[in-house]
Amino acid sequence: MQELTHSDSIFINFRDHVFSDSGGHGYRWIDIKRFRLPADAPSDLDLIVALIVNVQFRDDYAGGGVDPAGTRHGPYWTQNVTSDAYRAITRDDAARALQSWAGQHGPLPSSLEEALAREVHPALRAATSCYELSNLGPEAFHDWGGVHIDFHEFVVIDRQESSLTLLVAADD
């Protein structure tokens, strides 16, 4: 199996931005992990499999960070996250879903809109394909998997730039 090479990660913490009200923004964030595709990039399905086995995928997204020996991915046991759990989605639908999630408690401050415009939207606009992790349900949760209120995950593939971006947006 060909491997993905992790290039960088970006964390957008909503707490770093001043909201006009105090409603529900404190524990929301978007985690972005970017990877380089192998020279002879395989199918999208094979890229998703390569992502799932990558050490960067072993992140509980609850403050623990990447754990090379980890068995959690977001709210799920890693064994429950398979390539079959991802469904193709248009880049426009992915952008709308993220925007709806981000703005569900009211208008975003301009500094946060700028961060999203700089770090999230370009990846979605350039996507040659995009996939969304389906809600696997509580039966796939790990021992404390219900900690995330909302958990949204998108795999964004850009074959023009030979990149794969993992976008995770959540509240906890």
Side-chain angles (χ1 to χ4, degrees):
M1 173 184 299
Q2 294 182 328
E3 292 186 22
L4 297 174
T5 304
H6 179 247
S7 11
D8 67 338
S9 296
I10 296 166
F11 187 75
I12 301 172
N13 191 336
F14 282 37
R15 283 186 285 186
D16 295 341
H17 303 274
V18 178
F19 285 84
S20 58
D21 65 10
S22 60
H25 301 289
Y27 300 102
R28 305 176 80 222
W29 46 264
I30 298 176
D31 188 277
I32 304 163
K33 290 182 172 82
R34 293 189 276 221
F35 301 85
R36 301 294 312 152
L37 299 183
D40 202 10
S43 71
D44 287 1
L45 178 65
D46 289 335
L47 290 174
I48 291 172
V49 170
L51 174 66
I52 291 170
V53 301
N54 191 286
V55 69
Q56 292 293 320
F57 196 76
R58 290 171 171 66
D59 192 332
D60 59 25
Y61 296 104
V66 173
D67 178 359
T71 56
R72 294 175 181 88
H73 175 75
Y76 306 116
W77 291 113
T78 54
Q79 68 195 28
N80 294 328
V81 183
T82 66
S83 58
D84 293 338
Y86 290 85
R87 66 176 185 87
I89 184 173
T90 69
R91 58 187 177 195
D92 291 339
D93 286 345
R96 275 191 289 278
L98 282 170
Q99 197 63 38
S100 175
W101 167 81
Q104 68 183 312
H105 298 293
L108 300 178
S110 60
S111 61
L112 182 53
E113 286 284 3
E114 290 166 9
L116 297 176
R118 182 178 58 251
E119 304 297 348
V120 175
H121 299 304
L124 290 171
R125 277 193 305 274
T128 52
S129 53
C130 190
Y131 297 85
E132 180 177 28
L133 177 63
S134 300
N135 181 340
L136 302 179
E139 61 278 359
F141 282 175
H142 56 68
D143 46 349
W144 47 268
V147 70
H148 297 100
I149 298 165
D150 284 323
F151 185 84
H152 303 277
E153 179 173 315
F154 300 92
V155 175
V156 181
I157 299 169
D158 179 351
R159 290 194 179 269
Q160 295 281 114
E161 292 296 319
S162 295
S163 67
L164 181 148
T165 303
L166 177 63
L167 296 171
V168 174
D171 322 43
D172 52 33

